């Protein structure tokens, strides 16, 4: 028995030595810990019972400092608390637990497995899993990179697909017509707008794969035009054209077409494509703009000519005044033989013709001195009927229609008569082989924008229409220009229509023209309607009825020859004349106490106008009669309460105006 016990004890020592040797040499960290309880039995910590050298290598902790000490004393608080909780679970459940921790001291990942020992002890096994962790991290990183790459690829595909979808949507929904064709004139692509337009103008709807030439086989003209353009593009030419297309029996529009070559990735030409825009309205707008610009240029040209002719006409009136006045006095003097009378009569007739020409120039330039008043248009036209018939001759049938309900028009009676006669003469000249001349008058109301450019309101429209040869577009465009005439040299001054146009404009109306070659011409003279009573024409006053006169006249005119000629007429009429070359000189005479019964003054003078002078004179000498003499009225015009006399004039005209002025006071 003793031997057996000795052998058992030896075996135990040998086994213990082997265990100890294994414990000390195993590369796996190993340790034993035990619960620590307080007096009440509560667990307060864990006591380190034993640790092998491998643990020291794995953790970098000194086991000599750990064995026999509590873990919460030697390990970081957060770390020790978490381990203590796991160890307690092992004791309570008698089941192993495992966790992994990163030890900063040795830069290692350790796997810690806790399992029950005996009583309240547990075994700890520490395994270095750093390489596994690093491999796992690398694998996870690779997976993350792969995931990111997959997401980027998916996003790129989605973006490109979305971009293509956007482009496809734009191409399909744009109102630009887009067509793509191969070298055989077959459609490779065509958007909806282009297909709709093709169907609208040709009556057939194209589709991808169709031959554009076959689609137009029943329209050879259109087929040829399309083929010619596409052949250039399919041949490699890139160009832009504007051209009309479409079946004339259906719809036809103007298009701006841009052709480009279509090439594959290798640069080989495989077809062509086009972008097409309907420019029909744009071209119409451009045409309307051109017409408006032409009208503006014409208006500006006429305005410039009007200013020039108005100034020239005023100077001519000043020149004609002494000429007509002097010839008038010579004609009345006794002692002239027959030859002398013929010379004076001829000169006076020429001067009167010059006077008429100047009046037409002034009418065109809208500067003739007018005395607008309500005029019975119907009565005036009926009164002119016989004169028009005698003027036009037997080959022309004259039709006059003007009912009594036609409103009075604001016009100058004499100038309106002259205007209608001018239009009648023009109509007669347009019908050398005879025809019909119609003169009508009607009431018109303009309530919206009108081709004449007139403002909204009530008007009287006087129409003069003929059945003559008519005018082409160029003649119509220049018809109102002064000195423009189609009658030939010596047969017209070219001032007839321009005079009527100027008169209408000056009265606040318009002159419109419509004409067609071979059918005739219609001219409409528009005049503002008047609500006032028709004025009676002033009675003619002969010079004998007012002369001789014992009164005195203050005569003011800056033109010496005009002033001297007028003074002679006044003296022959029995007036005593005091002359002044300017408004300032006249005021000096007034301030010096010079006596006069009536002021006769020119209107346009350098220092002061005749109207301004008249106002000053009547303010200093109230009740003084005034007579304004003028070649034309400026835009401001002559005040309607002032009597006026138009240059040039004869002595009889001067006498009549004086007689009227002496019976009027400002």
């Amino acid at each position: 028995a003793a031997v057996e016990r000795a052998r058992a004890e030896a075996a135990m020592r040998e086994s213990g030595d082997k265990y100890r040797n294994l414990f000390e040499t195993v590369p796996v960290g190993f340790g034993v810990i035990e619960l620590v309880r307080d007096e009440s039995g509560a667990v307060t910590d864990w006591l380190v019972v034993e640790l092998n050298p491998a643990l020291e290598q794995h953790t970098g902790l000194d086991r000599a400092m750990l064995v026999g000490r509590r873990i919460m004393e030697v390990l970081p608080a957060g770390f020790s608390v978490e381990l203590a909780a796991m160890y307690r679970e092992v004791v309570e459940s008698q089941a192993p637990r495992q966790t992994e921790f990163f030890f900063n001291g040795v830069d290692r990942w350790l796997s810690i497995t806790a399992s029950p020992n005996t009583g309240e002890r547990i075994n700890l096994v520490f395994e270095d899993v750093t390489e596994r962790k690093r491999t796992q991290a690398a694998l996870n990183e690779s997976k993350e990179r792969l995931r990111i790459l997959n997401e980027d690829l998916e996003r790129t595909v989605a973006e490109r697909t979305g971009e293509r979808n956007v482009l496809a949507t734009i191409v399909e929904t744009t109102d630009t017509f887009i067509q793509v064709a191969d070298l055989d004139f077959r459609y490779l692509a065509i958007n909806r707008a282009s297909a709709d337009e093709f169907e609208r103008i040709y009556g057939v709807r194209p589709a991808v794969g169709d031959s554009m030439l076959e689609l137009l086989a029943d329209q050879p003209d259109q087929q040829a035009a399309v083929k010619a353009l596409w052949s250039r593009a399919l041949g490699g030419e890139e160009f832009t054209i504007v051209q009309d297309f479409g079946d004339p029996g259906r719809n036809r529009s103007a298009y701006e077409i841009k052709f480009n070559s279509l090439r594959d990735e290798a640069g080989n030409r495989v077809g062509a494509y086009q972008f097409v825009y309907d420019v029909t309205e744009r071209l119409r707008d451009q045409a309307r703009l051109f017409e408006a610009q032409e009208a503006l240029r014409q208006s500006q040209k006429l305005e410039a000519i009007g200013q020039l002719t108005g100034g020239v006409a005023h100077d001519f009136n000043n020149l004609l005044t002494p000429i007509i006045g002097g010839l008038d006095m010579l004609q009345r003097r006794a002692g002239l033989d027959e030859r002398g009378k013929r010379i004076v009569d001829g000169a006076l007739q020429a001067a009167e013709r010059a006077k008429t020409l100047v009046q037409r120039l002034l009418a065109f330039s809208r500067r003739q001195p007018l005395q607008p008043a309500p005029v019975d248009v119907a009565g005036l036209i009926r009164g002119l009927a016989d004169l028009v018939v005698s003027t036009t001759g037997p080959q022309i049938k004259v039709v006059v229609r003007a009912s009594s309900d036609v409103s009075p028009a604001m016009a100058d009676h004499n100038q309106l008569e002259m205007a209608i006669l001018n239009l009648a003469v023009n109509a007669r000249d347009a019908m050398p082989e005879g025809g019909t001349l119609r003169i009508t008058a009607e009431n018109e109301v303009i309530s919206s924008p009108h081709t004449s450019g007139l403002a909204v309101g009530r008007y009287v429209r006087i129409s003069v229409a003929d059945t003559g040869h008519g005018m082409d577009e160029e003649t119509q465009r220049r018809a109102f220009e002064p000195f423009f005439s189609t009658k030939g040299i010596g047969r017209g001054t070219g001032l007839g229509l321009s005079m009527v146009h100027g008169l209408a404009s000056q009265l606040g109306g318009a002159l419109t023209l419509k004409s067609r070659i071979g059918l005739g011409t219609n001219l409409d003279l528009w005049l503002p309607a008047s609500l006032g009573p028709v004025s009676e024409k002033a009675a003619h006053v002969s010079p004998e009825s007012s002369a001789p006169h014992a009164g005195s006249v203050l005569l003011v005119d800056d033109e010496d020859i005009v002033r001297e000629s007028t003074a002679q007429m006044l003296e022959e009429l029995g007036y005593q004349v005091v002359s002044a070359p300017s408004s300032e000189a006249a005021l000096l005479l007034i301030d010096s106490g010079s006596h006069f019964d009536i002021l006769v003054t020119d209107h346009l003078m350098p220092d002061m106008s005749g109207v301004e002078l008249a106002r000053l004179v009547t303010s200093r000498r109230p009740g003084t009669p005034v007579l304004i003499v003028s070649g034309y009225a400026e835009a401001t015009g002559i005040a309607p309460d002032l009597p006026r006399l138009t240059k040039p004039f004869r002595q009889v005209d001067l006498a009549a105006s004086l007689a009227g002025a002496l019976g009027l006071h400002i």
Side-chain angles (χ1 to χ4, degrees):
V3 173
E4 290 297 325
R5 186 169 58 252
R7 288 178 179 174
E9 289 176 353
M12 289 182 64
R13 283 195 298 271
E14 183 180 359
S15 175
D17 291 340
K18 289 181 179 179
Y19 170 75
R20 173 58 58 183
N21 184 53
L22 179 64
F23 181 80
E24 293 292 333
T25 60
V26 68
V28 177
F30 191 79
V32 178
I33 60 175
E34 183 180 48
L35 275 173
V36 177
R37 297 179 182 273
D38 59 13
E39 295 178 354
S40 64
V43 176
T44 60
D45 208 339
W46 290 88
L47 180 67
V48 179
V49 177
E50 193 170 9
L51 296 173
N52 72 340
L55 177 67
E56 194 174 44
Q57 295 174 3
H58 290 322
T59 63
L61 299 174
D62 186 356
R63 64 174 181 164
M65 295 180 62
L66 295 177
V67 175
R69 299 182 66 180
R70 298 181 180 185
I71 64 174
M72 291 187 181
E73 295 177 354
V74 296
L75 295 178
F79 186 60
S80 61
V81 170
E82 190 171 349
L83 285 176
M86 186 185 76
Y87 298 157
R88 184 171 181 174
E89 289 181 6
V90 173
V91 172
E92 292 176 351
S93 65
Q94 290 297 299
R97 295 285 188 273
Q98 190 269 339
T99 187
E100 294 178 349
F101 282 98
F102 181 76
F103 279 79
N104 290 323
V106 290
D107 194 24
R108 289 282 189 276
W109 278 94
L110 296 179
S111 172
I112 302 175
T113 302
S115 57
N117 193 322
T118 57
E120 292 187 333
R121 288 187 175 187
I122 61 174
N123 298 325
L124 300 178
V125 178
F126 295 84
E127 184 180 1
D128 188 344
V129 294
T130 303
E131 290 304 320
R132 177 173 64 79
K133 278 287 190 180
R134 288 175 178 170
T135 301
Q136 183 66 41
L139 179 60
N140 291 339
E141 184 178 355
S142 297
K143 288 181 178 179
E144 180 63 18
R145 289 179 179 176
L146 181 60
R147 183 187 64 80
I148 293 173
L149 288 174
N150 286 334
E151 289 180 353
D152 289 343
L153 179 59
E154 290 175 358
R155 184 167 53 252
T156 300
V157 171
E159 289 175 354
R160 291 183 177 178
T161 303
E163 181 181 350
R164 289 179 179 178
N165 289 339
V166 169
L167 290 175
T169 300
I170 292 174
V171 169
E172 194 61 22
T173 58
T174 182
D175 56 1
T176 301
F177 312 138
I178 302 173
Q179 296 184 12
V180 187
D182 63 16
L183 298 176
D184 294 323
F185 298 92
R186 292 192 177 276
Y187 288 115
L188 295 175
I190 182 168
N191 70 339
R192 183 166 55 247
S194 185
D196 291 343
E197 186 69 3
F198 196 100
E199 184 177 18
R200 186 183 74 86
I201 65 175
Y202 291 128
V204 58
R205 190 172 187 84
V208 173
D210 288 343
S211 167
M212 62 180 72
L213 300 183
E214 292 176 2
L215 292 174
L216 298 174
D218 61 338
Q219 302 180 53
D221 292 341
Q222 292 298 299
Q223 183 190 58
V226 169
K227 182 178 181 180
L229 289 176
W230 275 97
S231 295
R232 291 170 58 187
L234 295 173
E237 184 179 352
E238 297 189 349
F239 59 96
T240 300
I241 59 105
V242 175
Q243 189 168 322
D244 290 352
F245 284 96
D247 182 353
R250 295 178 58 84
N251 296 287
R252 193 167 178 85
S253 299
Y255 302 94
E256 180 182 274
I257 308 174
K258 180 176 177 60
F259 283 95
N260 295 89
S261 292
L262 180 67
R263 299 179 182 274
D264 60 16
E265 294 180 355
N268 299 317
R269 186 163 34 84
V270 295
Y273 62 93
Q274 64 173 204
F275 292 94
V276 185
Y277 308 90
D278 188 334
V279 295
T280 306
E281 284 304 316
R282 188 182 78 187
L283 295 180
R284 289 174 182 169
D285 290 342
Q286 289 176 348
R288 286 191 287 265
L289 177 60
F290 177 77
E291 291 175 358
Q293 290 173 337
E294 282 296 307
L296 177 60
R297 281 192 287 268
Q298 182 74 359
S299 175
Q300 291 172 336
K301 180 172 69 174
L302 292 178
E303 181 65 23
I305 296 174
Q307 292 178 357
L308 175 64
T309 56
V312 171
H314 175 255
D315 291 340
F316 265 103
N317 272 339
N318 280 333
L319 293 174
L320 286 173
T321 297
I323 293 173
I324 290 179
L327 291 172
D328 182 46
M329 286 188 291
L330 285 175
Q331 190 182 48
R332 293 195 313 274
R333 284 186 179 178
L336 284 177
D337 57 16
E338 290 301 320
R339 183 171 180 273
K341 288 181 179 180
R342 287 197 303 272
I343 293 174
V344 171
D345 289 343
L348 193 54
Q349 289 177 13
E352 288 291 345
R353 290 179 61 187
K355 173 183 176 181
T356 301
L357 180 63
V358 171
Q359 285 178 340
R360 292 184 174 184
L361 286 172
L362 287 171
F364 161 74
S365 63
R366 308 176 195 177
R367 295 185 176 185
Q368 61 181 328
L370 299 178
Q371 297 184 5
V375 174
D376 178 7
V377 174
L380 183 147
I381 290 176
R382 287 193 294 269
L384 285 175
D386 292 340
L387 180 58
V388 171
V389 169
S390 62
T391 302
T392 55
Q395 287 184 303
I396 295 175
K397 178 183 178 182
V398 177
V399 178
V400 175
R401 188 180 74 251
S403 62
S404 57
D405 63 348
V406 174
S407 300
M410 284 300 296
D412 183 299
H413 192 283
N414 293 331
Q415 295 293 341
L416 181 56
E417 283 185 341
M418 182 184 298
I420 295 174
L421 285 174
N422 266 308
L423 296 179
V425 169
N426 277 357
R428 177 201 64 189
D429 294 342
M431 299 181 288
E433 298 178 358
T436 301
L437 169 62
R438 288 181 172 83
I439 303 176
T440 60
E442 295 178 338
N443 293 323
E444 295 284 353
V445 176
I446 294 178
S447 56
S448 59
H450 194 260
T451 54
S452 64
L454 290 171
V456 172
R458 296 175 62 252
Y459 295 87
V460 176
R461 179 170 59 89
I462 303 171
S463 296
V464 179
D466 64 64
T467 57
H469 46 64
M471 305 181 190
D472 58 23
E473 291 185 2
E474 177 63 18
T475 302
Q476 292 182 55
R477 191 160 44 247
R478 301 187 59 191
F480 298 155
E481 288 185 16
F483 310 114
F484 174 76
S485 176
T486 59
K487 298 178 181 179
I489 298 175
R491 297 190 59 195
T493 62
L495 286 172
L497 289 182
S498 62
M499 182 274 288
V500 180
H501 178 266
L503 171 67
S505 300
Q506 192 172 351
L507 291 171
L511 181 66
T512 58
L513 181 152
K514 294 179 182 178
S515 185
R516 291 184 64 182
I517 295 294
L519 297 179
T521 300
N522 186 90
L523 284 149
D524 288 334
L525 175 58
W526 300 74
L527 298 172
S530 172
L531 298 177
V534 175
S535 61
E536 299 294 333
K537 293 181 65 176
H540 177 72
V541 181
S542 65
E544 291 78 7
S545 64
S546 59
H549 194 283
S552 58
V553 175
L554 174 58
L555 175 62
V556 186
D557 198 305
D558 60 313
E559 293 285 344
D560 293 340
I561 56 175
V562 175
R563 189 174 64 255
E564 292 174 4
S565 172
T566 305
Q568 290 179 6
M569 292 184 189
L570 290 169
E571 288 172 353
E572 283 194 2
L573 290 173
Y575 290 93
Q576 296 177 354
V577 181
V578 178
S579 296
S582 66
S583 297
E584 290 182 354
L587 292 174
L588 289 175
L589 289 173
I590 294 172
D591 293 339
S592 67
S594 296
H595 172 74
F596 58 90
D597 297 314
I598 184 171
L599 170 66
V600 178
T601 177
D602 186 27
H603 178 50
L604 291 181
M605 294 182 290
D607 53 346
M608 185 184 301
S609 72
V611 172
E612 292 171 336
L613 175 61
R615 297 305 185 198
L616 289 175
V617 169
T618 54
S619 67
R620 298 181 185 185
R621 296 187 181 184
T624 302
V626 174
L627 176 62
I628 302 292
V629 181
S630 176
Y632 64 89
E634 284 294 87
T636 53
I638 299 174
D641 58 334
L642 293 177
R644 73 191 70 176
L645 175 62
T646 301
K647 295 179 182 179
F649 51 84
R650 294 192 181 192
Q651 189 181 62
V652 64
D653 303 316
L654 177 60
S657 297
L658 284 170
L662 287 170
L664 299 174
H665 297 274
I666 300 174

